[in-house]
Amino acid sequence: MKEYVMGNGAIALGALKAGVNVVCGYPGTPSSEIIETIAKYPHEGLHLEWSVNEKAALEVAAAAAYSGARALVTMKQVGLNVASDPLMSLAYVGVEGGMVVVSADDPGPISSQTEQDSRRFAEFARIPVFDPASAEEAFEMIQDAFTYSEKYKTPVIFRPTTRVDHGYAAIEAADTYTPKSFEGFKKDPGRFVIFPRLSYKNHGMIEERNVRIGEDLSSYRFNTAEGGPSAKAVLAGGISYMYAKEFLQDHPGVTLIRIATAYPFPESFMLDKLKGVEELLCLEELSPYLEEQVLKLAGRYGITLKVYGKISGHVPAMGENSADSVKNILKDFLGIESLESSGGVSDAPALPARPPVLCAGCPHRASFYAVKKAMEGEKTYYCGDIGCYTLGNAMPLDMVDTCLCMGAGVTMAQGFSHIDKDGKAFAFIGDSTFFASGMTGVVNAVYNEADITVCILDNSTTAMTGHQPHPGTGRNMMGHVIQKVSIPKILEGIGLTKVITVDPLDLKAAVSAVKECAGLKGVKAIIFKSPCIAIEKSSKKCTIGDDCINCKKCIRETGCPALSLSEGRVVIDASMCTGCALCSQVCPVSAVKGGV
Amino acid sequence: MDKDILICGVGGQGTVLASGIIAAAAMAEGNVVHSAETIGMAQRGGPVTSHVRIGDKAFSPLIPLNKADLIIGFEPSEVVRNIGYLSAQGIAVVNTTAVKPVTASLSGSGYDGSEMTAYLKKRGNCIFADATAECESLGSVRFLNILLLGIAAGSGRLGIKKETMMSVIEKRVPEKFREANINAFIKGYDIGSATGQG
């Protein structure tokens, strides 16, 4: 039966069809829905988990793959940075069962810190990479990825991009899935214990093998050429191929070459398709990977052709491509006159800006506000982290001075505390991020005698990526209820100066907790504990009484989106209000009633 | 059928469910469908769009500019933001109630959507309705997405049968809200039919 699913759902269904035995990952847009889809098909012989971070996920999967099982690991592109330590070594050791590492790239970037290109990572690790252009292809290609991984006994990278991950299509889903049967781990220290001698030997083997894989991939079904032959040809990869294909269906006669396996590069295929081509336009996102491969080939084989793309400045270096940007680049390249309007809205009134904000009633707003109030007039460093609470940077809170990567808030606060003894350094970190990579930073801070206050914004979920459970929530992806891992007990075990748990929606108590901790030496922690409002909503709304003096302090200080002005008066949008009552605690005349 | 439908609004307004219902209904009538959603940080009160592409000639998940046959706009400024997608023959269904961003409240800009509606009126090819107020009269703004789908279907521009839409809505919404959603759809459908666009 066909199911209408997003690209991530298609990847999940493809992996299930391939008989995957173990699936691990850490949430991250645009990859999170792969594991969430697999969770809808629980069956005997399948282990599914949200791991604490990507490194853990990859290592769990590696053991399964050593044993001959099929393993899938999912993450966003920056997650691959975290998992790169085991990946780089695993590339040398290899696997027995098929192992596919999904690293979802995010051109734009739309929801990410970087515009890194996982095809580069594949080349860096010397392992194959698959690059689907649609949800339908992703379903087929993930199955191929397992086949190639097993055939060449190497982990492979599967690299979708946001538009493929979040594009929907109808995909064939089965009623039942049968995991692969496998023999189990066979002890072989010469194979599975990495030593310099093994790495030297395998390095040579891998380079020789990759030439063979490139040859094999030259006849791969998703490395294609259509239209033409023509002296002016187009080379595309990923979603850019679909943009080009849609435009070229009205402009036939142009060769459209598509490479779905950027590394090892299918040289024979490409050399064959370049015959008679005088000018080649390369359409791809993130980095000019395919463009560079063609330039290398041209040099090695003495091919004379002009290559256009990111390096030549014909395609933008950054941001995502679109149907329209690709159309315009193709028109220039092919010399097609443009007659239609640009679709611009130059005569439109100025549009209101809508930067993403913390939801109405979000407890993070109250936590940030409490710290802000308590630290008024003090010299402070507010080190943020990755999650919804990065949005604490927005006006009027303006409570994020730094944000670098997962877990960096704690360690950066430590850094500030060492170079400036007069400032008060704070780290803001969510519960899931704390488990992912915050704990080690707290140990580091204690060990190295930092003076910092760690604010743990514990909303009992991984909110930004779609409310995934984590070790502190008491349930896992196998559907089991488990003992919650206690953040206060972890902190107690590390040996902090002070640990206070407080409800951020109790403003007075929260401010006093912050003042107490900030005044102490050493590493202190405040656990601001209140559930995400997307999970637990109160039906008790706040209302504004006639005694409102319209000072607008509530709007000015909290920036809650449920508060706005209507005909000059402050109003609360009842459909958004969650009754958190932060505004009623801010109000100087107690005009806000109800809530909590 | 070949049809490109763009749904736009503000994160949290229920655009994703609306596009899912259109896609399911179009498939139930035997069409090939692709769609694309805004997911991630923008869902927190930022501008969101869903692109629904019906037919087998669409390869890109995103609708090119000037190609949308129909825009279903949950908020007037979001329709203006996306109006470049509307084809010359296309129609936009516009909810006239504004969602005021925090930035507007902080700056006291006084944004209330009226300027946007005036611009769209001048431009033409729009069906206006205070869909939020219509929903409130039904008891909750929660059904805004379904009511807007009703207007689009009633206008005849959606190209999907009323019964198909209703049967998909019945399947997609929680049982305790089924009747309320169907009422919202019918109310919207009547508003759409009355515009005489079909």
Side-chain angles (χ1 to χ4, degrees):
Chain A
M1 197 199 131
K2 288 220 166 180
E3 291 237 15
Y4 192 64
V5 293
M6 66 166 74
N8 283 337
I11 293 168
L13 294 176
L16 286 168
K17 197 175 171 200
V20 71
N21 304 88
V22 169
V23 182
C24 319
Y26 187 77
T29 311
S31 71
S32 312
E33 299 84 3
I34 302 170
I35 282 187
E36 290 176 337
T37 304
I38 289 182
K40 291 177 188 162
Y41 299 87
H43 54 277
E44 191 67 33
L46 172 74
H47 172 78
L48 176 64
E49 71 173 52
W50 281 126
S51 310
V52 291
N53 60 37
E54 295 85 354
K55 171 175 148 68
L58 199 132
E59 291 156 352
V60 170
Y66 281 6
S67 307
R70 284 192 162 186
L72 177 72
V73 194
T74 76
M75 61 197 69
K76 69 182 296 177
Q77 88 286 41
V78 286
L80 192 58
N81 302 338
V82 177
S84 64
D85 192 4
L87 180 72
M88 295 306 290
S89 297
L90 184 66
Y92 280 83
V93 176
V95 292
E96 183 60 31
M99 175 160 163
V100 181
V101 179
V102 177
S103 173
D105 282 351
D106 185 22
I110 299 172
S111 304
S112 300
Q113 302 96 300
T114 70
E115 278 206 301
Q116 64 191 70
D117 188 333
S118 294
R119 296 176 301 174
R120 300 271 174 203
F121 233 120
E123 184 184 34
F124 184 37
R126 321 301 286 167
I127 58 177
V129 59
F130 293 81
D131 187 8
S134 69
E136 289 96 332
E137 274 188 16
F139 174 68
E140 299 290 336
M141 212 180 272
I142 189 97
Q143 299 174 55
D144 297 341
F146 276 107
T147 306
Y148 277 91
S149 170
E150 234 156 60
K151 181 172 177 184
Y152 291 100
K153 298 195 185 302
T154 174
V156 304
I157 290 179
F158 188 84
R159 189 291 291 245
T161 56
T162 305
R163 298 298 177 188
V164 173
D165 292 302
H166 292 167
Y168 283 71
I171 302 293
E172 196 64 45
D175 291 333
T176 57
Y177 291 100
T178 313
K180 182 195 169 193
S181 62
F182 56 94
E183 289 193 21
F185 184 64
K186 292 199 193 94
K187 291 189 189 218
D188 184 355
R191 181 177 175 192
F192 294 115
V193 180
I194 192 162
F195 268 114
R197 196 162 40 94
L198 175 76
S199 304
Y200 172 83
K201 182 177 75 108
N202 284 5
H203 186 184
M205 179 278 292
I206 287 164
E207 295 303 329
E208 177 273 324
R209 175 202 73 193
N210 283 355
V211 175
R212 282 187 287 122
I213 296 180
E215 205 48 42
D216 194 348
L217 291 171
S218 278
S219 56
Y220 180 52
R221 59 174 169 158
F222 287 112
N223 291 328
T224 56
E226 55 207 282
S230 57
K232 280 188 174 185
V234 178
L235 170 64
I239 194 74
S240 303
Y241 162 67
M242 289 300 179
Y243 297 145
K245 189 177 164 92
E246 184 160 322
F247 176 78
L248 291 174
Q249 68 184 343
D250 297 328
H251 301 87
V254 179
T255 308
L256 174 58
I257 307 162
R258 188 276 288 269
I259 298 288
T261 56
Y263 183 83
F265 197 71
E267 281 189 15
S268 310
F269 167 81
M270 196 67 215
L271 287 169
D272 182 52
K273 298 307 165 197
L274 284 179
K275 280 177 192 154
V277 174
E278 290 161 18
E279 293 178 82
L280 184 74
L281 172 67
C282 303
L283 295 169
E284 56 194 315
E285 291 175 318
L286 301 173
S287 76
Y289 190 85
L290 299 177
E291 190 180 352
E292 285 178 12
Q293 302 317 305
V294 173
L295 289 170
K296 279 188 209 167
L297 276 191
R300 277 174 53 213
Y301 293 91
I303 304 164
T304 308
L305 86 165
K306 280 193 168 169
V307 180
Y308 306 106
K310 288 174 181 283
I311 299 170
S312 69
H314 291 79
V315 177
M318 64 290 173
E320 62 170 345
N321 292 335
S322 68
D324 294 292
S325 73
V326 164
K327 181 175 76 179
N328 291 331
I329 294 165
L330 279 168
K331 278 183 171 174
D332 278 349
F333 176 61
L334 300 170
I336 298 168
E337 290 281 316
S338 193
L339 293 173
E340 55 186 276
S341 79
S342 63
V345 286
S346 52
D347 59 337
L351 291 163
R354 294 189 194 278
V357 291
L358 294 169
C359 300
C362 174
H364 297 336
R365 175 177 291 105
S367 305
F368 282 122
Y369 187 71
V371 177
K372 188 173 184 167
K373 284 283 119 184
M375 289 295 106
E376 257 171 1
E378 300 259 8
K379 187 180 184 192
T380 53
Y381 297 92
Y382 295 135
C383 302
D385 223 296
I386 306 291
C388 283
Y389 48 92
T390 315
L391 298 175
N393 77 317
M395 296 305 281
L397 289 171
D398 188 20
M399 282 294 287
V400 179
D401 296 329
T402 69
C403 176
L404 188 63
C405 66
M406 289 284 288
V410 176
T411 18
M412 291 191 73
Q414 187 200 330
F416 285 118
S417 87
H418 294 314
I419 57 147
D420 180 2
K421 299 288 180 196
D422 301 326
K424 306 267 189 211
F426 287 79
F428 294 92
I429 185 165
D431 38 348
S432 183
T433 309
F434 176 77
F435 288 116
S437 54
M439 299 190 314
T440 46
V442 177
V443 174
N444 197 59
V446 169
Y447 175 53
N448 293 297
E449 302 171 280
D451 292 317
I452 61 169
T453 304
V454 181
C455 299
I456 295 168
L457 308 177
D458 184 357
N459 60 357
S460 303
T461 189
T462 317
M464 178 57 93
T465 47
H467 301 102
Q468 292 79 12
H470 61 64
T473 62
R475 60 192 175 87
N476 63 25
M477 289 307 274
M478 295 299 283
H480 300 157
V481 173
I482 49 115
Q483 172 82 40
K484 288 182 186 177
V485 178
S486 158
I487 296 175
K489 281 186 181 167
I490 290 173
L491 295 171
E492 201 179 294
I494 294 172
L496 270 60
T497 307
K498 184 95 192 167
V499 178
I500 303 176
T501 300
V502 68
D503 177 0
L505 301 179
D506 181 346
L507 184 58
K508 210 172 149 191
V511 170
S512 127
V514 176
K515 282 186 173 158
E516 185 183 348
C517 279
L520 297 170
K521 285 279 171 199
V523 180
K524 301 87 51 179
I526 304 163
I527 302 166
F528 290 99
K529 198 165 175 60
S530 185
C532 174
I533 50 95
I535 294 178
E536 274 185 45
K537 266 198 182 77
S538 164
S539 54
K540 295 176 191 158
K541 313 277 182 191
C542 291
T543 52
I544 296 184
D546 295 339
D547 43 350
C548 168
I549 55 170
N550 217 33
C551 67
K552 307 183 190 84
K553 187 181 178 193
C554 51
I555 295 179
R556 232 174 29 241
E557 301 255 309
T558 72
C560 174
L563 292 162
S564 64
L565 290 173
S566 178
E567 289 160 8
R569 302 289 301 176
V570 178
V571 292
I572 294 175
D573 182 338
S575 71
M576 290 169 92
C577 178
T578 66
C580 78
L582 177 64
C583 56
S584 76
Q585 296 170 79
V586 169
C587 180
V589 295
S590 305
V592 184
K593 328 281 187 224
V596 182
Chain B
M1 176 166 74
D2 290 308
K3 202 175 272 283
D4 287 327
I5 302 164
L6 185 99
I7 302 173
C8 56
V10 178
Q13 283 192 305
T15 51
V16 176
L17 177 63
S19 80
I21 288 170
I22 293 177
M27 282 192 293
E29 294 191 353
N31 297 289
V32 175
V33 183
H34 290 92
S35 54
E37 303 291 353
T38 311
I39 287 163
M41 200 176 250
Q43 282 177 294
R44 309 281 182 273
V48 291
T49 55
S50 300
H51 294 239
V52 184
R53 309 201 70 188
I54 304 170
D56 54 13
K57 293 183 197 72
F59 295 108
S60 146
L62 303 181
I63 302 168
L65 293 169
N66 300 307
K67 292 280 188 201
D69 302 289
L70 174 66
I71 288 181
I72 303 178
F74 285 50
E75 206 279 344
S77 71
E78 295 312 313
V79 178
V80 175
R81 204 186 298 278
N82 290 288
I83 202 71
Y85 285 100
L86 197 63
S87 74
Q89 298 77 34
I91 284 284
V93 172
V94 185
N95 176 24
T96 54
T97 296
V99 175
K100 297 170 193 172
V102 178
T103 48
S105 300
L106 287 171
S107 68
S109 79
Y111 167 73
D112 63 1
S114 56
E115 211 183 340
M116 301 296 152
T117 306
Y119 169 76
L120 291 168
K121 275 200 175 123
K122 204 172 78 192
R123 198 180 180 282
N125 290 0
C126 291
I127 298 172
F128 298 94
D130 191 344
T132 303
E134 297 287 353
C135 275
E136 275 164 359
S137 75
L138 289 171
S140 173
V141 295
R142 194 199 297 258
F143 315 121
L144 177 68
N145 47 9
I146 303 297
L147 194 130
L148 284 165
L149 285 181
I151 299 177
S155 75
R157 291 298 189 125
L158 192 58
I160 299 168
K161 288 194 198 83
K162 185 180 182 182
E163 304 78 60
T164 316
M165 288 295 289
M166 284 173 57
S167 124
V168 172
I169 290 167
E170 281 181 0
K171 273 184 231 148
R172 285 296 185 97
V173 301
E175 194 176 341
K176 64 174 175 172
F177 300 120
R178 194 172 290 164
E179 198 185 326
N181 275 295
I182 290 296
N183 288 341
F185 181 79
I186 291 169
K187 183 151 196 167
Y189 193 91
D190 292 342
I191 296 169
S193 312
T195 60
Q197 286 289 343

